[in-house]
């Protein structure tokens, strides 16, 4: 049988507008009272745009270049860095950026091929301590960064050493 007239809705859709936009998983979770609010989850680590800007104004902590620094997150796996994850903003240091004909220290840190793991970890810990000291002297080190640094870095330093 071939339909000659268009389909027409005869009854209104039951339920609220929000319920109709939710998928089956959300509707089941809401029915079972397990529904988490839709939206972005609050970050569990310190994030601050102002802190990143303050760090970027410092000279490169590795080579000392002035006026070319970027806020570089440390790449210590045990301190919160992982595939697709940025470390806390408390764990950033000023490293110089690339420019034509010269690779910057930030690039060298992110590529990871310049130093072995132990040397890289020791350098990064020294850099964060130096950055913290400089910002504290300028009265720009936030208390929230101190709490995150203590939580993440102290745990990292307390871990057993294998090797």
């Amino acid at each position: 049988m071939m339909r000659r007239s268009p389909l027409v809705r005869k009854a209104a859709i039951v339920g609220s507008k929000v319920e109709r936009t939710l998928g089956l998983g959300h509707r089941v979770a809401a029915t079972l009272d397990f529904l988490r609010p839709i939206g972005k989850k609050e970050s569990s680590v310190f994030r601050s745009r102002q802190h990143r800007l303050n760090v970027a104004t410092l000279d490169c902590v590795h080579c000392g270049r002035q006026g070319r620094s970027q806020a570089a997150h440390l790449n210590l796996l045990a301190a919160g860095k992982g595939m697709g994850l940025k470390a806390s903003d408390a764990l950033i240091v000023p490293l110089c950026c690339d420019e034509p004909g010269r690779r910057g220290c930030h690039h060298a840190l992110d590529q990871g091929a310049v130093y072995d793991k132990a040397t890289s970890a020791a350098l990064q810990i020294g850099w964060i301590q130096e950055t913290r000291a400089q910002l504290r002297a300028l009265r720009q080190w936030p208390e929230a960064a101190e709490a995150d640094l203590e939580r993440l870095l102290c745990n990292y330093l307390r871990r057993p050493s294998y090797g």
Side-chain angles (χ1 to χ4, degrees), residues 75 106-114:
N75 290 334
H106 191 171
H107 178 86
L109 172 70
D110 286 346
Q111 294 310 307
V114 179

Side-chain angles (χ1 to χ4, degrees), residues 3-12:
R3 182 173 293 278
R4 300 202 186 270
S5 61
L7 291 175
V8 178
R9 183 176 308 245
K10 293 181 181 177

Side-chain angles (χ1 to χ4, degrees), residues 11-50:
I13 294 177
V14 179
S16 70
K17 202 175 204 178
V18 173
E19 286 178 12
R20 282 182 285 156
T21 61
L22 297 179
L24 177 62
H26 278 95
R27 290 192 306 249
V28 169
T31 303
L32 298 174
D33 203 26
F34 291 131
L35 185 64
R36 199 179 85 214
I38 297 175
K40 199 168 186 180
K41 187 170 89 170
E42 178 101 13
S43 178
S44 62
V45 295
F46 173 66
R47 297 280 180 236
S48 169
R49 184 178 194 291
Q50 185 60 50

